[in-house]
Amino acid sequence: MKILAFVVAFVLFLGGMLLFGFAFSAVEAAAPWVFFGGIAAICVSLAIPFHFLGKAD
């Protein structure tokens, strides 16, 4: 289960980075929303290991 959570978090992190890059080439009206989507994806990708995986022993 921890491997699945890691894969999901890693995909969200990489997807957020891609959204950051796409925000500058997106339509000007949608650029802030795409950039905000990147921030949200990275926040969720960091919240998964911090809150749901617990601490390592």
Side-chain angles (χ1 to χ4, degrees), residues 18-43:
L18 284 172
L19 285 174
F20 283 153
F22 287 144
F24 294 104
S25 64
V27 179
E28 288 188 24
W33 295 107
V34 173
F35 193 82
F36 178 74
I39 291 173
I42 289 180
C43 288

